[in-house]
């Protein structure tokens, strides 16, 4: 597939802290984005309608409606990439459980380098419109990459995953993680390798992000037991897929 010649990319920054907003605005503009910045959730939702961004950074702690509710409302009509920014590290676990529809999470303080890497990683991923954008014509179905392993089946292009006949409700990141594991089911993945592959970073401190997502993915595959039948922990190394037939 050939790349469109230098199409304009737009980013929206929703952040009430002036310093952080200026930092993100500046960082994204150096990455070639046309940037708009607002300081509240409602202004953010309005800006998504009028500005139609490809990327949104969304602070969790906002005055008025918070970032989580803002994210939900944006997801009803837009499929831009969303990076949630939280002031608390431990909040990421809670956010992931809420299925806000965000694509990635960053905790403050973050480095400019980290923000850039996260953005680059998101834009390397294949994209597909959300169901909410229903007015668009259905696109022609390309050759589907379908991965199968035991009971699990992942339709990569359709971005749907199944356990037997049950369709799994995965976030974008959980889906990408599962697809990556299923592409090479015999491989033992280290957390660092998964970080590089799925998130595009390799800072060891982020391996917690992998563990949290693996935990969520296991719960969605196996219910609350989440004991790792499908995704095995290889002690001292990382993870690998197990073929589960029943
Ligand atoms: Ca804030």
């Amino acid at each position: 597939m050939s790349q469109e010649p230098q199409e304009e990319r737009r980013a929206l920054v929703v952040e009430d802290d002036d310093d952080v907003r200026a930092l993100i605005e500046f960082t994204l503009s150096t990455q070639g984005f046309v940037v708009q910045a607002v300081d509240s959730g409602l202004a953010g939702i309005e800006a998504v309608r009028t500005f139609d961004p490809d990327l949104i950074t969304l602070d969790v702690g906002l005055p008025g409606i918070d970032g989580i509710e803002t994210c939900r409302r944006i997801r009803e009509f837009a499929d831009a990439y969303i990076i949630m920014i939280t002031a608390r590290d431990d909040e990421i676990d809670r956010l992931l459980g809420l299925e806000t529809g965000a694509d990635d999470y960053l905790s403050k303080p973050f480095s400019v380098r980290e923000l850039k890497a996260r953005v680059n990683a998101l834009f390397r991923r294949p994209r597909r419109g959300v169901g909410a954008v229903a007015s668009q014509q259905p696109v022609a179905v390309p050759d589907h990459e379908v991965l199968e392993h035991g009971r699990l089946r992942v339709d990569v292009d359709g971005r749907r995953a199944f356990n037997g006949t049950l369709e799994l409700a995965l976030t974008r990141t959980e889906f990408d993680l599962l697809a990556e594991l299923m592409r090479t089911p015999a491989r033992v993945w280290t957390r660092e390798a998964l970080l590089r592959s799925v998130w595009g970073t390799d800072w060891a401190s982020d391996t917690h992000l992998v563990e949290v997502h693996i935990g969520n993915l296991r719960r969605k595959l196996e219910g609350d037991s989440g004991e790792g039948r499908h995704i095995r922990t290889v002690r001292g190394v990382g993870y690998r897929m197990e073929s589960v037939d029943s």
Side-chain angles (χ1 to χ4, degrees), residues 200-221:
T201 82
D202 57 1
W203 289 289
S205 63
D206 285 341
T207 54
H208 175 65
L209 198 61
V210 177
E211 287 160 20
V212 170
H213 276 88
I214 289 277
N216 285 347
L217 194 48
R218 279 174 170 163
R219 273 188 293 280
K220 288 185 181 179
L221 292 174

Side-chain angles (χ1 to χ4, degrees), residues 114-158:
E114 191 174 14
L115 175 61
K116 285 183 172 180
R118 294 292 167 91
V119 170
N120 286 336
L122 286 176
F123 280 85
R124 276 205 312 268
R125 293 185 187 176
R127 272 189 101 182
R128 178 174 177 266
V130 292
V133 193
S135 59
Q136 289 182 354
Q137 291 291 319
V139 289
V141 178
D143 287 342
H144 270 202
E145 180 187 6
V146 177
L147 308 168
E148 291 188 67
H149 194 63
R151 292 172 50 82
L152 302 180
R153 188 161 54 86
V154 169
D155 171 353
V156 177
D157 302 287

